[in-house]
């Protein structure tokens, strides 16, 4: 009986020890049932799934706009003057008619006034703008005097500026020419005459009809006389009216303005006429 009592006491002691151990173990250290762990795992995954995914805002790549390089503005090509004036050519008249007709490229050419109204207007524009304004400066008083004169007489059909005694030339007149519709060249002299109180410039156009008449008489032509007449200038004679002795081309140009004084063509009257010399 004593043995059984000892066994019971030992069992009781063990049970008491277990109770003490259980009572002293923290609640949190006790293992959770597997079901709770699974629920927690599912909840955590659900929470993670519900979090918004932050998609990075795409950075806009700015493609640089190509700057359009403006095309260079084409430099306007200057239109060459169809009838240019070389001052050296203008200042050097031909020495003879042969020198003139055989070397036209040595002298200034004007557009032809003969033919249509457009031809005449082209000549008028050249005469006033290119010759008088641009080349000669547009000032009549500034033009060099070529010959001194003593008197001027004007009638219905002519103008005559002359001397009783031949005068010395101051300078050669300016010179240019134009061609008529048939290709015949007409010599033109820009002549300035003056008295102590008066100065006037004319463009004297040599008539082809007069040249032919002089040839028949054996007289020197206008071109040769102007160049050689250094000390023998006697008169300037200009014709205002048409004549039966003139060619149809000459009469037509007189009718258009080559016979007007004051001039209807420009500041410098342009008239058919002659420059006379006394070679006695």
């Amino acid at each position: 009986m004593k043995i059984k009592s000892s066994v019971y006491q030992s069992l009781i002691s063990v049970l008491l020890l277990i109770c003490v151990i259980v009572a002293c173990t923290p609640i949190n250290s006790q293992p959770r049932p597997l079901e709770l762990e699974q629920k927690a795992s599912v909840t955590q995954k659900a929470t993670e799934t519900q979090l918004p995914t932050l998609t990075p805002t795409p950075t806009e790549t700015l493609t640089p706009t190509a700057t359009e390089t403006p095309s260079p503005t084409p430099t306007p090509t200057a239109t060459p003057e169809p009838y240019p004036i070389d001052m050296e050519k203008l200042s050097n008249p031909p020495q003879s008619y042969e020198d003139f007709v055989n070397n036209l490229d040595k002298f200034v050419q004007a557009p032809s006034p003969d033919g249509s109204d457009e031809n005449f207007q082209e000549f008028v524009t050249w005469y006033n703008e290119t010759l008088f304004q641009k080349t000669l400066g547009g000032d009549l008083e500034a033009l060099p005097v070529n010959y001194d004169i003593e008197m001027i007489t004007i009638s219905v059909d002519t103008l005559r500026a002359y001397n009783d005694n031949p005068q010395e030339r101051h300078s050669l007149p300016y010179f240019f020419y134009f061609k008529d519709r048939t290709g015949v060249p007409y010599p033109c002299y820009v002549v300035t005459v003056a008295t102590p109180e008066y100065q006037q410039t004319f463009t004297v156009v040599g008539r082809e009809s007069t040249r032919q008449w002089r040839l028949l008489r054996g007289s020197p032509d206008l071109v040769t006389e102007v160049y050689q007449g250094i000390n023998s200038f006697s008169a300037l004679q200009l014709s205002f009216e048409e004549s039966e002795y003139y060619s149809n081309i000459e009469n037509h140009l007189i009718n258009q303005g080559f016979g007007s004084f004051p001039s209807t063509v420009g500041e410098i009257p342009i008239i058919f006429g002659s420059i006379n010399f006394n070679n006695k």
Side-chain angles (χ1 to χ4, degrees):
M1 294 298 294
K2 289 183 181 179
I3 295 173
K4 290 182 180 180
S5 176
S6 175
V7 172
Y8 289 145
Q9 288 179 352
S10 296
L11 289 172
I12 291 171
S13 297
V14 172
L15 291 172
L16 290 173
L17 180 60
I18 291 172
C19 291
V20 171
I21 292 173
V22 171
C24 294
T25 300
I27 297 173
N28 292 338
S29 64
Q30 296 178 6
R32 289 185 296 178
L34 180 58
E35 184 179 353
L36 293 177
E37 290 184 1
Q38 291 176 342
K39 288 183 179 180
S41 177
V42 171
T43 304
Q44 182 179 2
K45 289 182 179 180
T47 303
E48 291 176 356
T49 302
Q50 293 173 1
L51 290 176
T53 302
L54 296 177
T55 304
T57 303
T59 303
E60 182 179 359
T61 303
L62 297 177
T63 304
T65 304
T67 303
E68 182 178 355
T69 303
S71 301
T73 303
T75 303
T77 304
T79 303
E81 172 66 48
Y83 293 94
I85 295 179
D86 184 304
M87 196 63 190
E88 184 176 355
K89 290 182 178 182
L90 190 72
S91 303
N92 288 282
Q95 300 181 26
S96 66
Y97 187 78
E98 289 70 24
D99 176 34
F100 170 43
V101 296
N102 293 325
N103 301 284
L104 290 177
D105 59 334
K106 290 170 49 178
F107 311 106
V108 172
Q109 182 180 5
S112 176
D114 183 35
S116 65
D117 290 340
E118 289 77 12
N119 292 139
F120 190 79
Q121 188 55 52
E122 182 184 14
F123 174 84
V124 170
T125 300
W126 179 90
Y127 185 72
N128 288 294
E129 296 180 7
T130 305
L131 176 64
F132 180 55
Q133 294 292 338
K134 294 180 182 178
T135 305
L136 299 181
D139 183 359
L140 289 172
E141 295 183 359
L143 296 179
V145 174
N146 304 119
Y147 305 106
D148 287 329
I149 57 172
E150 296 170 356
M151 291 170 280
I152 290 182
T153 60
I154 302 176
S155 65
V156 174
D157 59 350
T158 59
L159 178 149
R160 191 166 180 262
Y162 62 96
N163 298 300
D164 288 334
N165 298 303
Q167 298 291 321
E168 181 180 358
R169 180 183 70 204
H170 292 296
S171 60
L172 279 167
Y174 295 126
F175 178 84
F176 68 91
Y177 74 95
F178 65 82
K179 291 181 179 181
D180 66 16
R181 74 191 75 171
T182 68
V184 174
Y186 283 72
C188 304
Y189 292 92
V190 182
V191 181
T192 300
V193 295
T195 70
E197 301 83 18
Y198 174 81
Q199 177 176 319
Q200 179 65 51
T201 301
F202 304 92
T203 294
V204 182
V205 184
R207 285 190 303 268
E208 179 63 14
S209 57
T210 301
R211 190 184 76 84
Q212 295 293 338
W213 178 75
R214 285 192 174 196
L215 285 176
L216 292 175
R217 294 185 57 189
S219 301
D221 62 84
L222 170 68
V223 175
T224 302
E225 281 205 307
V226 170
Y227 190 83
Q228 293 181 354
I230 299 173
N231 298 306
S232 58
F233 170 76
S234 60
L236 178 72
Q237 187 164 316
L238 307 173
S239 301
F240 300 149
E241 294 187 347
E242 301 174 40
S243 170
E244 61 181 318
Y245 300 105
Y246 304 160
S247 70
N248 291 334
I249 289 173
E250 292 162 5
N251 281 327
H252 177 64
L253 290 175
I254 289 173
N255 185 52
Q256 285 187 295
F258 274 39
S260 59
F261 184 74
S263 177
T264 60
V265 176
E267 288 289 326
I268 301 175
I270 180 168
I271 305 172
F272 283 106
S274 62
I275 307 171
N276 302 324
F277 300 86
N278 187 348
N279 294 312
K280 295 179 182 179

